[in-house]
Amino acid sequence: PATSAPPASSPPASSTPATSAAAAADDEASWDVSTYQRNLKLGIADGNHFTTLMLDCVLGSGRVKMLVDDPKGRYRRGSTQPFRISAGQAIALLSGTALFSDMNSEMQIEANVSLSQLRGVLSEIARQRQFVITTPGGTQPVDVKGADKAIPTFLSSCAIAG
């Protein structure tokens, strides 16, 4: 063999370094929508599971259960924690309950909210794909492909049927 090419997952030499664990996984991760029973899940899929952010709704309910990863969060399980999701000028200020992830021992924040609280920021993420999650544990900039297809499907399927 004459020369070997670098592995496909290697970033180009000119790329900027990743600023977070979520950004480091961006080459493999993408937005995904999946249906199970009468529910729809939207999230950033990395392999067989969702990471960083996952939203779950009963079809046509207008209600969303969110799980936000907070890998640097250090607080009591069951405590109420504020968090923010922002994209462009759109911001969703939310709060939820701290819990440990089923996948690992990292903290997550779970919130049950109305779809209307998320519509603006999700629509902006679908337009520009970049967004920021801010929790008491820190800031996670996220830039993941596929939002332009997955988010509109989620928004229309979860909206209150009328």
Side-chain angles (χ1 to χ4, degrees), residues 63-66 95-96 110-114 117:
R63 300 289 306 167
V64 177
K65 180 176 99 174
M66 306 177 64
S95 67
E110 178 182 85
N112 290 292
V113 300
S114 73
Q117 291 175 270

Side-chain angles (χ1 to χ4, degrees), residues 21 51-52 68-75 77 98-109 140:
T51 65
T52 313
V68 175
D69 288 351
D70 192 4
K72 294 183 179 164
R74 301 286 178 260
Y75 26 79
R77 186 176 55 195
L99 52 95
F100 288 107
S101 168
D102 290 338
M103 303 300 291
N104 53 41
S105 60
E106 293 180 352
M107 295 299 302
Q108 290 183 314
I109 301 172
Q140 300 178 65

